[in-house]
Amino acid sequence: MATAYINTPLGSAKLEGDENGLTYVTVLETDEPESKIIPEDLEDAVYQLNEYFEGKRQNFDLLLNPEGTEFQKKVWAALLEIPFGKTISYLELSKSLGDVKAIRAVASANGKNPLWIIIPCHRVIGSDGSLTGYAGGLHRKKWLLNHESPSKQQTLF
């Protein structure tokens, strides 16, 4: 399994994968030095993530190989259908998977997403529009949603 570290506006990120695809991307709570040499199996992921953060990429075209249960993989596949710049609620996500009563299981699977940003779990919000639950921290979720917003607001400060 190849590993690389990159710097992002939200902190250091760790990537893991091999010839079968990208298995893991997460933001770290500690700063790690950026990898000087990127393993070949991770080059596309690093390139595409950098483009995303530069505002040049809205969709990823990568071979993915996340580890999880069949249910988790079903939820993660549904997350991949949420368009850039859009959000849906956990309730809407549960409905799209065919079981409104599975909302807690769907939220749990969402929280276990091993491919930060690539599988856009940050695009799922509370039914009331609140930024609920995000393993990377709500400040990062807010940043990501603002980064993807079609109407960039200017700040006064």
Side-chain angles (χ1 to χ4, degrees):
M1 186 72 56
T3 301
Y5 295 90
I6 63 170
N7 295 326
T8 78
L10 298 172
S12 295
K14 179 180 181 180
L15 293 77
E16 292 180 351
D18 57 25
E19 66 277 357
N20 296 314
L22 193 60
T23 58
Y24 187 74
V25 177
T26 192
V27 64
L28 304 171
E29 293 302 322
T30 59
D31 287 332
E32 294 291 329
E34 191 164 44
S35 298
K36 294 190 185 328
I37 298 173
I38 304 298
E40 185 177 346
D41 291 332
L42 299 176
E43 286 177 349
D44 284 344
V46 168
Y47 181 78
Q48 290 185 34
L49 279 167
N50 285 329
E51 281 189 329
Y52 170 85
F53 283 114
E54 292 167 2
K56 298 176 183 174
R57 175 171 291 276
Q58 295 184 358
N59 299 300
F60 295 96
D61 181 22
L62 298 166
L63 180 60
L64 305 180
N65 189 22
E67 294 181 11
T69 67
E70 288 307 311
F71 179 77
Q72 288 169 336
K73 290 178 181 180
K74 182 178 173 184
V75 172
W76 301 336
L79 293 173
L80 289 168
E81 300 301 316
I82 306 170
F84 182 91
K86 303 290 184 189
T87 59
I88 66 169
S89 70
Y90 289 98
L91 181 61
E92 290 171 305
L93 183 57
S94 296
K95 285 180 182 177
S96 76
L97 292 165
D99 188 357
V100 70
K101 294 179 183 176
I103 191 167
R104 288 179 192 246
V106 167
S108 176
N110 193 54
K112 291 184 172 92
N113 170 20
L115 292 170
W116 179 61
I117 297 177
I118 308 292
I119 296 177
C121 59
H122 60 278
R123 296 179 188 155
V124 183
I125 60 174
S127 294
D128 62 358
S130 63
L131 299 181
T132 59
Y134 189 63
L138 291 181
H139 66 289
R140 289 187 179 108
K141 184 172 187 166
K142 181 178 179 181
W143 189 96
L144 291 166
L145 293 176
N146 284 336
H147 179 67
E148 294 183 3
S149 174
S151 60
K152 305 285 185 206
Q153 292 185 348
Q154 293 183 350
T155 180
L156 298 175
F157 304 99

